[in-house]
Amino acid sequence: MSPRLKLLAFILVAAQAVCAQDVRIGVLGLFRTHQLIIKSSPGQALIVRSGKQSFVLERSSGQQAASVTLSDDGMVLHVGDQQIRAASIHAANRSGGVADFVLAIPGKISRHYQGVLEIKASGGVLVPIVTMELETAVASVVQAENSPDTPLEAMKAQAVATRSYLVAGQGRHHDFDFCDSTHCQFLREPAAPDSSAARAALATRGLVLAYREKAVATMFTRSCGGHTRTAQEAGIPHQAYPYFAVACDYCLRNPMRWVRRLSPAEADDLSSRGESSRLDIDRRRGWAFVPSNNFTMQRGPDGVLLHGAGQGHGMGLCQAGARAMAEAGSGFQEILDHYYPNTTLVNADQLQRSGGRNRG
């Protein structure tokens, strides 16, 4: 092979390696469970390992499922009539790579995944972690974050924002990079290959947003209330990207308005701590009890009334506005340019080769 062809081959492999980057996602953590069921998908073999012992889960073998329970000194793996004390548990395909499997919490939830599974005990609960390919995660988030009738160009914009976040924002948790809740990004089951979410991920494969030659851990919001906010306005610590405020025509015309009543103590905390306090209130009082941080306060004898608009922190891509722009004929690049001013659209492998990819 000529030197030129060798160089081209090297560049191709490097680009493919970045596009095939893995992300470690903690799943089902909101349930804080003490028991999990692992099941192989139909027609698939799942190899479950603990220490030097391994078990094959496969329908044709008559053993398709295993269970894991928390114990005082770690975990117990149950496979058929065998019980194994385990410090950690891993599950993958026969070659140790990506597998199709189902992870369930008895009586609560069952979910399909594609990746390599690790289970550990931490903080008095079981912690399942799925290492999946970046593009699998991107398509899964796009599907979870959008309704099926969302225009494709809006989904493409979401795919780029999601990929940028996953590339630039790793290390948000101690045991894994991201969780599957809105604390990081909302993630559910893999998108079907023919779905709009999978098409959006494929059409934008490898593309991320960069600011000053570094990938941006791009945030997005459900509805901005008419104007997106800077990180400072949202009460969020300084970001590598400042999130320039922009007008959102759709939300200006169609604001999602809400009213909530808080105690004086909650209102004082909300005023002083911003977004962190809003999320704490939502955890105590119910998801989206305070839907956004775009509000005014009215104090009275019975507490404090919040009069607000929008849903979410209000930073970055507004999903409601992006959908409206796509319906009006805007392409995904125009949508991204509007909500992320002063960024550039680049291939992730370009940033890696130039040393501009963020860490942690």
Side-chain angles (χ1 to χ4, degrees):
M1 182 183 292
S2 70
R4 183 173 179 273
L5 288 177
K6 287 182 180 179
L7 177 60
L8 290 173
F10 173 79
I11 291 174
L12 178 60
V13 170
Q16 290 174 336
V18 172
C19 289
Q21 170 194 339
D22 290 339
V23 290
R24 300 180 74 242
I25 300 177
V27 300
L28 306 180
L30 293 177
F31 293 91
R32 296 188 61 80
T33 188
H34 293 177
Q35 185 177 11
L36 288 165
I37 304 295
I38 311 168
K39 184 183 295 186
S40 61
S41 295
Q44 301 287 323
L46 187 66
I47 312 302
V48 179
R49 292 184 172 88
S50 175
K52 296 181 179 180
Q53 294 182 286
S54 63
F55 305 89
V56 179
L57 302 184
E58 190 174 19
R59 177 174 292 181
S60 61
S61 70
Q63 186 62 59
Q64 190 181 3
S67 68
V68 182
T69 55
L70 191 70
S71 66
D72 292 338
D73 57 351
M75 299 177 293
V76 179
L77 173 65
H78 306 261
V79 183
D81 58 359
Q82 298 188 67
Q83 296 187 16
I84 309 297
R85 294 278 176 183
S88 64
I89 296 167
H90 298 261
N93 65 17
R94 292 188 185 276
S95 60
V98 172
D100 279 81
F101 62 92
V102 174
L103 194 61
I105 299 176
K108 292 185 177 179
I109 191 170
S110 177
R111 189 163 287 157
H112 167 224
Y113 294 101
Q114 291 176 348
V116 176
L117 174 66
E118 176 188 1
I119 303 174
K120 60 177 64 177
S122 179
V125 296
L126 295 176
V127 179
I129 302 165
V130 180
T131 299
M132 63 181 67
E133 293 178 354
L134 172 63
E135 297 300 327
T136 298
V138 170
S140 299
V141 171
V142 172
Q143 178 170 264
E145 286 282 358
N146 293 271
S147 59
D149 63 345
T150 299
L152 183 60
E153 292 302 309
M155 284 195 173
K156 289 180 184 178
Q158 177 74 65
V160 174
T162 292
R163 187 181 296 105
S164 300
Y165 184 90
L166 295 174
V167 167
Q170 294 187 9
R172 283 176 58 82
H173 292 266
H174 175 69
D175 293 318
F176 42 85
D177 292 322
F178 306 99
C179 66
D180 62 354
S181 76
T182 52
H183 171 266
C184 290
Q185 294 203 42
F186 194 47
L187 180 142
R188 293 298 178 260
E189 297 190 341
D194 59 348
S195 66
S196 295
R199 289 164 53 207
L202 182 61
T204 62
R205 183 178 177 86
L207 295 179
V208 300
L209 288 175
Y211 177 70
R212 296 179 177 174
E213 299 185 351
K214 291 187 177 181
V216 179
T218 42
M219 296 186 181
F220 51 88
T221 194
R222 184 71 65 189
S223 169
C224 69
H227 210 277
T228 67
R229 316 188 84 193
T230 66
Q232 184 176 6
E233 288 172 333
I236 292 177
H238 175 72
Q239 305 286 314
Y241 176 67
Y243 289 94
F244 303 93
V246 299
C248 177
D249 290 341
Y250 175 81
C251 290
L252 281 170
R253 297 192 305 267
N254 305 277
M256 190 199 86
R257 299 197 181 279
W258 51 267
V259 178
R260 297 289 190 273
R261 186 183 298 277
L262 299 181
S263 70
E266 287 175 321
D268 290 342
D269 188 59
L270 188 59
S271 296
S272 64
R273 294 200 300 122
E275 181 68 8
S276 295
S277 176
R278 183 180 79 86
L279 296 176
D280 287 343
I281 293 170
D282 284 352
R283 292 185 188 102
R284 293 195 306 270
R285 307 268 291 230
W287 170 240
F289 182 82
V290 180
S292 75
N293 51 30
N294 181 14
F295 54 79
T296 59
M297 289 188 180
Q298 180 182 351
R299 296 181 181 269
D302 297 326
V304 181
L305 280 181
L306 303 184
H307 296 266
Q311 184 178 8
H313 48 62
M315 294 167 54
L317 177 81
C318 172
Q319 292 173 311
R323 177 183 182 122
M325 287 183 68
E327 289 173 342
S330 295
F332 78 95
Q333 294 184 59
E334 185 179 354
I335 294 170
L336 293 171
D337 287 343
H338 179 74
Y339 288 107
Y340 301 105
N342 301 316
T343 61
T344 55
L345 188 64
V346 300
N347 281 297
D349 64 297
Q350 293 176 330
L351 291 177
Q352 186 184 54
R353 290 201 301 270
S354 66
R357 191 163 144 214
N358 299 350
R359 295 291 181 185

